[in-house]
Amino acid sequence: MKYVVKAEFVDRHTGTRYFPAARGEEPVTFEPADDDQFKALVAARCIGDEPIGLSLFDKDVADLTRAELEMLALESAKAEIGRVSDEDLRAAIERYRDHLSASEEDDIEKLSVEKLKAVAAEEGVDLDGATKKADIIAAIKLKREAA
């Protein structure tokens, strides 16, 4: 089985020096000669502990398992991050935070009036006598927007 090279090392069996891939390049892989070599290189953080299935690149995407899809998505994201400016990364993080915030707003719509009142109290929202669900949600949203 092959593993991704994470740090520079020399193969004790062949004397070959291995280097990790530069950002945006295909991962460099290494196949340990035996279990002892595998354990030593993983312990030294020279190789990853998850085998890389190079055949994944040959498979039709529709045939990949969830685990394979996640692994390839992470590798793809890592490669893409290396090509993106700091400014673009910051913008992407802000968009993600906005997405999470929007998800939280959607979630309050599902809460009961009792739970909404608890959220309002926790966030210091003055309900000013609001008892209807829509009024409580509006007050919470108004307070969040002001923050």
Side-chain angles (χ1 to χ4, degrees):
M1 298 182 114
K2 294 187 177 189
Y3 300 85
V4 174
V5 173
K6 301 282 188 179
E8 180 182 349
F9 69 93
V10 176
D11 180 356
R12 69 176 184 213
H13 296 287
T14 65
T16 303
R17 184 173 297 276
Y18 287 84
F19 299 91
R23 287 186 181 192
E25 292 183 3
E26 288 288 319
V28 175
T29 61
F30 176 75
E31 189 166 0
D34 54 44
D35 199 43
D36 290 337
Q37 185 180 32
F38 166 75
K39 288 177 183 175
L41 290 171
V42 168
R45 298 184 181 181
C46 293
I47 63 172
D49 61 353
E50 293 289 323
I52 185 156
L54 297 179
S55 62
L56 294 181
F57 294 102
D58 299 328
K59 281 185 171 181
D60 187 308
V61 175
D63 297 331
L64 296 173
T65 65
R66 176 66 187 207
E68 292 169 333
L69 288 168
E70 288 178 5
M71 183 178 78
L72 288 174
L74 287 172
E75 289 301 318
S76 173
K78 286 178 189 176
E80 192 62 30
I81 285 172
R83 297 185 201 125
V84 176
S85 71
D86 290 355
E87 184 178 312
D88 288 341
L89 284 174
R90 286 184 182 96
I93 290 168
E94 287 298 326
R95 284 192 303 274
Y96 182 67
R97 286 179 175 170
D98 290 346
H99 167 75
L100 291 178
S101 178
S103 295
E104 288 175 6
E105 287 180 18
D106 291 344
D107 290 344
I108 68 169
E109 303 283 344
K110 298 174 186 172
L111 297 177
S112 68
V113 170
E114 184 177 309
K115 289 183 180 177
L116 284 168
K117 287 181 179 179
V119 169
E122 182 179 304
E123 295 184 17
V125 177
D126 181 13
L127 294 179
D128 195 31
T131 56
K132 293 183 181 176
K133 183 174 183 173
D135 295 337
I136 297 170
I137 290 172
I140 292 170
K141 287 182 178 181
L142 185 65
K143 174 75 173 190
R144 288 179 177 177
E145 288 172 9

